Amino acid sequence: MTNLTTRSEHACFGGRLGFHAHTSTETGTEMRFAVFTPPRALQGEKVPALYYLAGLTCTEETFVIKAGAQRLAAELGLMLVACDTSPRGLDIPGDSDAWDFGVGAGFYLDATQAPWAPHYRMGSYVNAELPALIESNFPARADRRGIFGHSMGGHGALVTALRDPDRWHSASAFAPICNPAAVPWGQKAFGNYLGDQDRAAWERYDASLLMRARVFPRELLVDQGMSDQFLESQLHPQALDAAAKASGQSLRLRRHAGYDHSYWFIQSFVADHLQHHARQLLS
């Protein structure tokens, strides 16, 4: 596909880590992403792709640099894909005024309100456009996809999987924003991207509210640090736990004393998440 450009490539644990860009039809902008291709895929085998959604202020580089996931992904035979967190370069008034809204804060939804609606379509980008691009240009299986993320990205991973379980075959999250309709980060994003008039639109992007009405057909894994500075004000894992109990969703919610919101937390448990996805994607 001529739309795809490679910015750089690097040997990594016998595989290849590449940083790429393409012109997105969903956002109308250049979107950047990273792909780790494991050794067996370089040898001709198609492997499942595991998509990672990063949190507020992050980019496509954050996870592949900070999480320490490539070694085990190489051993398991999982492709890792990490995309950016929003469109960039649009210069929409107000898109760079705050760290928790606009640039770097797309919230993995499709905006319906002006001026965001034409470009802030990260929901469709992650769910459809990016996987199609990956499966057309890399040795990724089209019948097995996993998704996980951190914070805002944990919200995005859970919502994406719950909204379209036929496309996603495994899901997990680190410290997700579990009930965004009820917390300041989510209310700010939803109010601007989706509008304040139709709160039903908010429910379609809230994992705890979605989970009360539908279940993901496989176990979800969520890890939460109990020294996370955003735990009480923004994350609300108790809402997700209550929703799972109400709907019968299989949820492994693990609470870890002493861990915060940082990538030190993610590094500590990323192997468990890769094993979780491997069990569901490689069986």
Side-chain angles (χ1 to χ4, degrees), residues 148-264:
F148 68 150
H150 172 231
S151 194
M152 177 185 71
H155 139 77
L158 294 175
V159 166
T160 300
L162 285 164
R163 284 170 59 95
D164 203 345
D166 291 334
R167 286 184 58 78
W168 300 97
H169 307 95
S170 62
S172 70
F174 298 94
I177 307 172
C178 294
N179 190 192
V183 301
W185 281 343
Q187 291 166 348
K188 183 176 184 177
F190 289 2
N192 283 282
Y193 293 138
L194 304 174
D196 284 319
Q197 303 304 313
D198 181 13
R199 292 298 178 101
W202 293 24
E203 295 179 10
R204 293 193 287 271
Y205 292 103
D206 185 305
S208 294
L209 299 178
L210 278 172
M211 193 179 288
R212 288 183 174 273
R214 65 185 77 184
V215 297
F216 188 69
R218 289 162 290 281
E219 182 184 66
L220 300 172
L221 171 63
V222 173
D223 279 316
Q224 176 60 61
M226 298 310 291
S227 293
D228 191 313
Q229 60 270 43
F230 302 112
L231 177 59
E232 297 300 326
S233 60
Q234 305 284 4
L235 304 180
H236 291 199
Q238 68 275 12
L240 195 70
D241 195 22
K245 291 174 179 174
S247 67
Q249 172 69 55
S250 178
L251 172 67
R252 185 156 47 120
L253 173 59
R254 307 192 303 182
R255 296 174 170 90
H256 303 278
Y259 286 91
D260 59 20
H261 201 68
S262 70
Y263 269 78
W264 307 121

Side-chain angles (χ1 to χ4, degrees), residues 7-117:
R7 297 164 52 222
S8 68
E9 289 188 311
H10 315 272
C12 184
F13 290 105
R16 183 171 60 234
L17 177 62
F19 294 92
H20 309 278
H22 74 113
T23 301
S24 167
T25 57
E26 289 292 349
T27 69
T29 66
E30 179 186 81
M31 291 296 296
R32 295 185 173 189
F33 62 93
V35 177
F36 173 70
T37 304
R40 69 185 66 176
L42 295 181
Q43 297 163 7
E45 179 181 341
K46 286 200 170 185
V47 298
L50 177 56
Y51 294 76
Y52 179 84
L53 307 183
L56 292 165
T57 76
C58 294
T59 72
E60 76 285 355
E61 296 183 346
T62 309
F63 175 77
V64 295
I65 291 174
K66 291 186 174 182
Q70 286 93 306
R71 180 191 61 78
L72 185 55
E75 294 177 10
L76 293 172
L78 291 175
M79 182 178 292
L80 298 175
V81 181
C83 65
D84 205 350
T85 49
S86 77
R88 295 180 190 265
L90 293 166
D91 295 324
I92 297 173
D95 70 358
S96 299
D97 291 351
W99 66 274
D100 58 355
F101 177 77
V103 174
F107 270 81
Y108 306 104
L109 51 75
D110 289 347
T112 59
Q113 303 299 300
W116 315 104

